[in-house]
Amino acid sequence: MSAARPGRTHDNTAARHDHILTHLRAAGLGALADLGFRGLDNDFLDPVVVTGYIATRTHKLTRSEKEANRLLAVGRAPVEHGFAHLKNWRVLTKLRTDPARATRLLRALLVLTNLEINR
């Protein structure tokens, strides 16, 4: 979970500001991302951020592209569920604090939520 940012901040802008690609490559890790991160990682030979395919009026998705999107969604589902469960913490609706403190709080709540779900 990255640092708190204004809601208007685009996913790619936040990822570039936090040097996500550099950190992932240094750790030898990869990430499954939603379509908001398309164009972040333009290294076609060794990508660390995998996004889905997008259909347009002129480009309909092939069967294999649809299957790739489905598999990506399956891999991302646990993370999305974790963030959805964070919404159960009502304290977040009234949170008025420094963004750095909010980030630490959210990270702690995400850990507690995952512990509760996996119980």
Side-chain angles (χ1 to χ4, degrees), residues 3 8-10 16 21 26 30 48-49 57 60 63 65-66 81 83 92 108-109 116 119:
R8 67 181 178 271
T9 305
H10 192 277
R16 285 187 180 111
L21 292 178
V48 294
V49 176
R57 280 189 263 172
K60 302 299 180 203
R63 184 177 292 134
E65 289 171 335
K66 288 179 184 179
H81 289 157
F83 285 118
L92 297 178
L109 290 175
E116 181 68 23
R119 205 164 30 129

Side-chain angles (χ1 to χ4, degrees), residues 53-109:
Y53 295 95
I54 190 167
T56 64
R57 280 189 263 172
T58 58
H59 172 72
K60 302 299 180 203
L61 294 182
T62 65
R63 184 177 292 134
S64 60
E65 289 171 335
K66 288 179 184 179
E67 180 65 12
N69 280 354
R70 189 189 71 75
L71 291 172
L72 182 64
V74 167
R76 287 178 31 78
V79 175
E80 294 296 335
H81 289 157
F83 285 118
H85 284 292
L86 275 177
K87 294 178 182 177
N88 292 331
W89 294 90
R90 292 186 183 178
V91 68
L92 297 178
T93 63
K94 296 176 172 54
L95 188 63
R96 303 292 182 263
T97 186
D98 173 50
R101 294 184 84 187
T103 300
R104 285 194 299 272
L105 175 63
L106 279 173
R107 287 177 180 161
L109 290 175

Side-chain angles (χ1 to χ4, degrees), residues 10-12 14-15 20 33-41 49 51 76:
H10 192 277
D11 293 341
N12 279 346
I20 296 296
D34 63 19
L35 294 177
F37 290 95
R38 283 181 46 88
L40 176 65
D41 188 3
V49 176
T51 59
R76 287 178 31 78

Side-chain angles (χ1 to χ4, degrees), residues 23-35:
H23 293 300
L24 287 171
R25 283 199 173 91
L29 298 174
L32 302 177
D34 63 19
L35 294 177

